[in-house]
Amino acid sequence: MKTVTIEELLTWAFVHELPKGGGVEGLDNANSAWRMLEASSWGKITSFAELGTLIDSGTGNGNFFIEQGEPHDDAVTLGRAVARLGQCDVAIPGNWHALADWPRTDDVTDGMADAAVKRAIDRYMLRTAHRRAAGIVSLVVGTAILGKELDYQAEPSKIRMVERGGKPAWFVMRRINHEDGQAYDIEVDGYNGRTHRPVKGAYRKYEFSTDPTGDILGRLDYQTWVAALRRLEVEIAADLVAHRLVHSDRSMTPWLDRDMPGVAIVERTAERPAKKTAVAC
């Protein structure tokens, strides 16, 4: 048996084996072994003799599976496991902090970093569950084909005072009564243009000189990828026939001096259809 890492096995499977059946288009062709696995609802096609029959019956459009040979059993096992990631989601821990390596000198920098991470998570969670699941699969397949790891660099951003018109800006909170009868606190301009002085209770604000959202989401992608690799290792190790997996020591937090817990890949909760309610006429 050949000893490999999960990353090496993924590259072998998606570069050399799972494109079979797709002709010159490889993985992108609907009749490639990989696309057939994706479309099989994770198990409807139980053998590649059956898959070959489908193509031989005229669905191949000139890209014949038989001419390229069958993909290796281990590649098929891995392909099915990767396809099942499409039924998963990313679980982000409540105390997740992608910028733990950034300098924290006071409560201001701490609060700004925490707020930036929260905004990035909120942005990520705006994606549908289906899109997040597709993203997991895409990360695994894309890195396998390229043979590269994901970038997790996040250069600390400088902190600057928020300005308006080239001068430090002032802000103040005001309570307003909305037409719905509720009172709301809103932040407004705290500088009095007539007196050229800040109003009572006004304060200044700080911001990062460069928006860290992209770097935070990049680290989220990196941890999602590592979590997916670890899940695949556990899922297929006992089912391989010609390969032996060596456990990967890839860190979940390579930007820190130790491996810390991060995001997890979890089974996606089935979406329940909305209940129908009777409407009285």
Side-chain angles (χ1 to χ4, degrees), residues 42 80-92 124-125 127-138 140 224 227-232 235 263-271:
W42 304 280
R80 291 193 190 281
V82 173
R84 283 192 292 271
L85 291 174
Q87 297 175 318
C88 296
D89 203 348
V90 179
I92 305 174
Y124 176 77
M125 294 307 296
R127 304 175 188 177
T128 64
H130 177 76
R131 185 181 171 196
R132 293 195 300 269
I136 301 171
V137 176
S138 179
V140 172
T224 299
L229 294 181
R230 293 179 178 181
R231 183 184 179 93
L232 291 172
E235 187 170 342
V263 306
I265 303 297
V266 296
E267 294 292 330
R268 192 167 76 220
T269 303
E271 297 180 1

Side-chain angles (χ1 to χ4, degrees), residues 4 35 40 51 57 68 75-76 114 122 130 139 142 164 177 193 225 228 231 238 245-246 257 265 274-275 280:
V4 294
R35 295 303 179 191
S40 69
L51 190 154
S57 66
Q68 293 179 299
V76 175
D114 291 341
D122 289 344
H130 177 76
L139 287 172
R164 185 182 292 116
N177 294 316
W225 174 58
R231 183 184 179 93
L245 281 181
V246 58
D257 58 6
I265 303 297
K275 293 183 178 179

Side-chain angles (χ1 to χ4, degrees), residues 237-255:
D239 298 326
L240 300 176
V241 295
H243 296 83
R244 179 186 298 108
L245 281 181
V246 58
H247 180 69
S248 173
D249 59 357
R250 183 175 291 281
S251 173
M252 184 68 78
T253 53
W255 49 88

Side-chain angles (χ1 to χ4, degrees), residues 100-175:
D101 57 324
W102 280 28
R104 291 169 173 252
T105 57
D106 50 39
D107 291 341
V108 172
T109 55
D110 277 357
M112 289 176 60
D114 291 341
V117 172
K118 183 181 183 304
R119 286 194 301 272
I121 294 174
D122 289 344
R123 177 173 167 180
Y124 176 77
M125 294 307 296
L126 287 175
R127 304 175 188 177
T128 64
H130 177 76
R131 185 181 171 196
R132 293 195 300 269
I136 301 171
V137 176
S138 179
L139 287 172
V140 172
V141 176
T143 52
I145 294 171
L146 294 175
K148 296 181 179 180
E149 69 175 26
L150 293 174
D151 182 21
Y152 52 79
Q153 301 302 319
E155 191 68 24
S157 176
K158 294 181 179 180
I159 296 175
R160 66 187 180 193
M161 190 173 292
V162 177
E163 296 184 347
R164 185 182 292 116
K167 296 181 180 180
W170 291 90
F171 303 86
V172 69
M173 297 299 296
R174 292 284 188 242
R175 173 155 291 195

Side-chain angles (χ1 to χ4, degrees), residues 63 73 95 103-104 113 116-118 127 137 158 169 180 189 203 221 224 229 277 281:
N63 289 290
D73 287 346
N95 61 347
R104 291 169 173 252
V117 172
K118 183 181 183 304
R127 304 175 188 177
V137 176
K158 294 181 179 180
D180 63 4
D189 187 358
Y203 51 87
D221 280 346
T224 299
L229 294 181
T277 56
C281 298

